[in-house]
Each structure stands twice: as structure tokens, then as C-alpha cells.
Amino acid sequence: MKNKVSIIGAGMTGATTAHWLAEREVSDLVLVDVVEGMPQGKALDLQQALPVIGKDVKVIGSNDYASTAGSDIVIITAGLPRKPGMSRDDLLYANAEIVRKAAEETIRYSPDAIFIILTNPLDAMSYLAMKATGVAAHRVIGQAGILDSARMRAFVAMELGVSVENIHCYVLGGHGDEMVPLTRASNVAGVPLEDILTADRLEAIVDRTRKGGGEIVSLLKTGSAYYAPAVAIAQMVEAILKDKHLIVPASAYLQGEYGLTGLFFGVPVQLGRKGVEKVIEYKLSEAEMAALQKSAQGVAENIAKLK
Ligand code: APR
């Protein structure tokens, strides 16, 4: 039987996720949105693109959660994006209602689904989705780390003129401006970034990575980034459905790892058919650990507000 993936919110990130996923041909797709006709129109358009690239994927658009029944994975992208000058945290209350409803509705129709959350503020929304669905923690994963790491990889590639394939970067922590790019662990073809770039250039890349989402928001003026967030979700979906045991940074529920408990937070996780198979604990320096703790404070404050 074919896999089924439902995407709640057929806006910029939701529709682009469907696009990247259809190219990978890993599942049939359902797009759900509150706007009448829009998910149906986008689904039909995408369906009509697939003969050109030879992919057999059924794409359905709907305003009704019943269409999501029996999903293997539910992706939640519904909610407001940032406007220029806003932080992701400014979206907390408005998006909490939307994510809660999406979680409650989808779990009814897909009791065995794994949930991938994209709506911001990401770590708090992942926590909310876990509570609203009542599923075990390993079945809820927030997308942020692949995106933040890819941004850093892109900036390093631009700086050095080296293939992106050679560049490995790891960004942990909450999905906000206090995120923690790990410059010691990041490398170009095995050589640590700290050995290649001057401290100044490295600091500039770290800073641009931390503010990477905001840079795009201020350029777009309406809405936030969608190509890179969406392809990051597609990678997670493929890793789960193919049971790849892929290690990526993502937001997972911590129960003592990195000295943190009771919050979703960006850490390296191993993804497979069960969802989060394992949280990987890196050996961090004192400075890295302190930066993570600082980032965790912001996430914990958001979660406290939700409670
Ligand atoms: N149920 C389903 N869809 C909803 C609901 C709801 N209750 N409320 C809003 N939506 C839909 C909107 O109609 C819109 O089509 O969510 C979609 C959001 O799409 P965009 O406005 O294009 O926003 P997008 O860029 O996709 O970002 C969505 O992801 O990355 C995060 O910060 C971003 O929180 C934001 C979310």
C-alpha cells in the first residue's frame, strides 16, 4: 500500500513541501487548508505537473480533515508567518489556536501518524502538538535544524566557493535568534571550519545564520521563507518513510538529554519509521553548553506561556 502524507496549511510552505515531496515520489499527498478552493486548485496544478517529470503520486486538496484519514505522516504548516520586524515568538498565541485545532482534528483520523511541525514558534508548537494529540514524544518532530544548518552551509559555500556537498554544518538549539551553530563540529570535507575561516568571517557566518529567517522576511516583506523550510521537511519525511536511520538536527522532546527536560529543542536525532529513534548527545564544550542553555530558556518561556 502506498504511503500517505497530509499537509495541513496549503500556503507557501505547505504547497512547496508538497512539490518537493511529489518529486521524491515517496507517498500520496493531501493538502488541507481553511481557504475554500485553494488547496484543491494547488493540488490539481501539482497533479498536472507530475506527468512531465514522470512521478506517480496522487495529490488531493481539501477543506475537510476527513480527507487526511489513515495518514502515515501529518505535517502542520498552518498558521501565520512573520512580518518584517516580528520575531517568531510574536506568533505564539495566534498560531497556538491553529496548531491545536490541526493536531486535534488530524489525530482523530490518523491515530498512528507521525507529526512533523513547521508552524512557528516551532519548538513551542511542537510541544503543543504533542499535548493536543496525546501521542508519544517520539512521534512528534519539529523541523528547524536541517533548515538552519542548510542556511549555514549555503553561506559557507558562498564564502569559500566549494561545493555544498562538501560542507557539513550543525546548528542546534531553539529555532530563534539564540540558536547555536556548532563551529567546532562543522567542517568542509572533514576539515573543521575553525581551521579554514578567520574568526571574523566565521562569526559573520554564524550571525547571518542566526538571523537567516529574518533576512528573508525583510526582503520578501510579505511572508517568510518557504523553499528551504519545505525541502527540509521533505528530507525528514523520506527518512521516516524509508526507515533510513538518518541523523539530522531537529526539534525533539528532551527528557534529560543535554541537561534539559520537558521541552522541544533542536538536537541531533536519528529518524526512522518510528519517528525519533534516538536523540544523539554530542560532547559539547562549556561555551557550547552555555549557549544551548541560554537558547533553551527562551523556548521554556514560550512553553510556560502556552500552559
Ligand atoms: N487550518 C488549516 N489551515 C489554516 C488554518 C487552519 N485553522 N489557519 C490558517 N491556515 C492556513 C492559511 O489559510 C494559509 O494558507 O495556513 C496557511 C499558511 O500559509 P502562509 O500564510 O503562506 O504561511 P507559510 O509561509 O506557509 O508559513 C506557515 O510556517 O514557517 C512557518 O513561520 C511560518 O508559522 C508560519 C507557518
Side-chain angles (χ1 to χ4, degrees):
M1 209 175 70
K2 253 180 149 180
N3 292 309
K4 178 169 176 176
V5 173
S6 292
I7 303 169
I8 315 306
M12 298 310 289
T13 53
T16 311
T17 300
H19 179 182
W20 289 115
L21 276 174
E23 281 199 299
R24 291 176 187 231
E25 207 181 27
V26 287
S27 71
D28 286 336
L29 298 168
V30 179
L31 280 167
V32 174
D33 203 285
V34 283
V35 179
E36 277 181 31
M38 184 268 271
Q40 292 86 343
K42 289 191 179 183
L44 197 55
D45 188 10
L46 182 55
Q47 189 76 79
Q48 292 164 0
L50 299 184
V52 180
I53 59 167
K55 301 295 179 188
D56 293 302
V57 170
K58 192 161 82 180
V59 190
I60 289 172
S62 175
N63 306 113
D64 181 356
Y65 281 98
S67 311
T68 65
S71 294
D72 297 279
I73 297 181
V74 171
I75 300 163
I76 300 183
T77 75
L80 308 177
R82 286 196 268 176
K83 295 200 177 79
M86 282 174 96
S87 82
R88 295 180 181 91
D89 294 350
D90 294 334
L91 302 169
L92 185 75
Y93 295 111
N95 282 349
E97 285 317 307
I98 295 171
V99 169
R100 179 180 291 118
K101 173 141 188 348
E104 286 171 354
E105 291 287 337
T106 47
I107 190 68
R108 288 204 293 134
Y109 291 104
S110 303
D112 299 322
I114 291 168
F115 289 77
I116 299 178
I117 313 301
L118 187 78
T119 305
N120 276 311
L122 187 271
D123 304 285
M125 292 303 121
S126 302
Y127 179 87
L128 177 64
M130 180 181 77
K131 291 292 172 193
T133 56
V135 304
H138 66 89
R139 284 171 52 193
V140 182
I141 315 150
Q143 187 304 116
I146 299 176
L147 166 65
D148 296 327
S149 304
R151 284 185 171 142
M152 187 169 170
R153 292 171 69 191
F155 296 145
V156 172
M158 284 152 63
E159 177 86 11
L160 295 177
V162 173
S163 167
V164 290
E165 289 190 74
N166 289 133
I167 299 169
H168 307 280
C169 294
Y170 302 92
V171 179
L172 306 187
H175 187 46
D177 293 350
E178 301 290 346
M179 66 180 75
V180 185
L182 293 183
T183 53
R184 270 187 333 130
S186 301
N187 67 80
V188 178
V191 181
L193 269 191
E194 293 182 354
D195 295 349
I196 299 176
L197 290 166
T198 63
D200 280 4
R201 292 311 304 150
L202 192 51
E203 188 45 42
I205 287 175
V206 163
D207 188 56
R208 195 171 176 195
T209 301
R210 286 205 174 109
K211 298 174 186 154
E215 182 179 0
I216 291 175
V217 170
S218 57
L219 288 168
L220 291 179
K221 297 183 185 68
T222 53
S224 49
Y226 48 96
Y227 291 117
V231 80
I233 296 182
Q235 186 181 38
M236 292 167 77
V237 168
E238 184 167 18
I240 292 167
L241 293 179
K242 291 187 174 171
D243 201 20
K244 281 173 76 87
H245 315 299
L246 181 74
I247 297 173
V248 292
S251 186
Y253 189 62
L254 298 187
Q255 298 169 87
E257 299 91 345
Y258 294 93
L260 298 167
T261 299
L263 75 168
F264 273 78
F265 199 59
V267 291
V269 297
Q270 186 172 308
L271 295 183
R273 197 62 189 81
K274 289 193 325 204
V276 175
E277 298 178 321
K278 204 192 280 180
V279 171
I280 314 280
E281 288 202 74
Y282 287 172
K283 273 195 190 146
L284 298 179
S285 68
E286 267 180 38
E288 289 163 343
M289 208 50 156
L292 274 191
Q293 300 298 327
K294 190 172 171 210
S295 173
Q297 266 175 22
V299 175
E301 280 165 20
N302 273 343
I303 289 177
K305 283 183 202 158
L306 285 179
K307 286 176 179 166

